Amino acid sequence: MDKFVTSEGFDRHRRHFFGTAAMTIAAAQLGAIGVVRAQSDAPKVTQLPTIKEGTKTSFGPLKQIDAGILNVGYAEAGPANGSPVILLHGWPYDIHSFVEVAPLLASAGYRVIVPYLRGYGATRFLSNEAPRNGQQAALAVDAIDLMDALKIEKAIIGGFDWGGRTVNIMAALWPQRCKAMVSVSGYLIGNQEAGKMPLPPKAELQWWYQFYFATERGRQGYDKYRRDFSRLIWQIASPQWDFDDATFDRSAAAFDNPDHVAIVIDNYRWRLGIAEGEVKYADLEKRLAQAPVISVPTITMEGDANGAPHPEPAAYAKMFSGKYAHRTIKGGIGHNLPQEAPHAFAEAVVDVDKVSGG
């Protein structure tokens, strides 16, 4: 596929839509993922409703399904025969990061699946003996297992933070299962050898919690203060997001999962190379250590006020060999981009779908 990289800034006031003035794709034949105002005869799938941000606060009843080694709790919205979209959250967040994205996409005809990752919310291990492993390949296998359980052959995938890394891995290792991808903060696939390399002091400072989690004191501290800790991360990662207590509490309930602390600690220890990971994922990690290029049609996104560690867009553009565009979302948008800018995230899903080739 042709590649045409664009960088677009969206002001918060432009993320609301009126009537048929929805965002759609222009010049797809040139391989560009651009955006223009849709005409009145635009396909229905490109239409997104006008919904005031902050008004949607909950999903309907959650569903549960056995998938791989997990019983996964997930929210679902939209028609059962709609084009599937799987959205993955990060740490320390939960499915409510997509609580306003999901109805937007559902109204456009998509079937939206938003699962709790292992160690969060209603998701549980099927066996008490299963390792509480948080390494990157394990989470990606979980997502593929969920697709298998739901009999979804191919889906649009999207995520941020841990979820962004997971959809990157899915697209890199199982491109035949991924119709298109929306990835906040771009290319996040890592490996243990890279994780062992020292960074300049200012960069290391941003990862303070990773080093804290490497200690037993850190594990105990996170267990004891997991809500206080998570609120602090929210504030650091999204310094201009004025979230209220109710918004935080809805997500923080997911951290009461009995495996949450074990999964979080293992995830960060694995990155530093002080947790080994499972042998069954070794071949996958070897492939990921080669930094595989992603060919799936992709839109990467970044908030203009992301306070969490993240790469610059120019550093990862070359990692996408298919149709690709980057969007910087303006207006004080932080790390939790789907929840802070739901219209912009939903637009990206619709737009990347348009160039995916079906």
Side-chain angles (χ1 to χ4, degrees), residues 274-308:
I274 57 176
E276 293 185 1
E278 291 182 73
V279 173
K280 67 180 180 180
Y281 300 117
D283 288 342
L284 297 179
E285 294 293 357
K286 287 179 181 178
R287 294 170 62 186
L288 295 174
Q290 301 303 310
V293 172
I294 293 173
S295 61
V296 170
T298 297
I299 291 178
T300 59
M301 308 184 76
E302 191 61 80
D304 65 342
N306 185 359

Side-chain angles (χ1 to χ4, degrees), residues 231-245:
R231 181 184 286 272
L232 176 61
I233 295 296
W234 280 34
Q235 293 167 339
I236 293 172
S238 299
Q240 298 185 43
W241 182 28
D242 188 22
F243 61 88
D244 58 21
D245 289 343

Side-chain angles (χ1 to χ4, degrees), residues 4-163:
F4 188 88
V5 180
T6 62
S7 180
E8 302 162 358
F10 288 80
D11 187 82
R12 295 187 85 165
H13 299 294
R14 292 182 58 204
R15 294 198 303 274
H16 296 276
F17 288 81
F18 302 91
T20 60
M23 305 301 282
T24 188
I25 298 300
Q29 68 273 18
L30 299 177
I33 303 180
V35 289
V36 296
R37 294 291 182 181
Q39 302 301 314
S40 59
D41 60 349
K44 183 178 180 181
V45 74
T46 66
Q47 303 301 310
L48 294 177
T50 301
I51 298 177
K52 183 178 180 182
E53 293 180 8
T55 59
K56 180 69 175 177
T57 61
S58 64
F59 293 99
L62 297 185
K63 299 182 178 182
Q64 301 285 148
I65 191 169
D66 287 351
I69 65 172
L70 301 172
N71 177 262
V72 178
Y74 66 99
E76 182 169 357
N81 63 347
S83 181
V85 177
I86 297 176
L87 303 175
L88 302 179
H89 67 82
W91 171 85
Y93 306 95
D94 83 323
I95 62 174
H96 289 89
S97 291
F98 301 101
V99 72
E100 293 188 276
V101 173
L104 287 169
L105 294 176
S107 71
Y110 292 95
R111 179 191 180 191
V112 186
I113 307 294
V114 190
Y116 281 110
L117 302 184
R118 57 168 62 190
Y120 294 79
T123 293
R124 297 289 188 275
F125 285 88
L126 294 173
S127 170
N128 290 331
E129 285 70 46
R132 272 39 179 178
N133 177 4
Q135 74 183 101
Q136 60 178 1
L139 273 70
V141 170
D142 289 347
I144 296 296
D145 286 342
L146 177 61
M147 290 179 66
D148 291 344
L150 293 171
K151 297 181 171 55
I152 295 173
E153 182 61 30
K154 198 169 189 177
I156 301 168
I157 55 176
F160 75 105
D161 195 83
W162 288 19

Side-chain angles (χ1 to χ4, degrees), residues 85-87 147 155-159 167-168 170-171 177-178 180-182:
V85 177
I86 297 176
L87 303 175
M147 290 179 66
I156 301 168
I157 55 176
V167 297
N168 287 176
M170 294 169 68
R177 306 296 299 272
C178 305
M181 178 175 68
V182 175

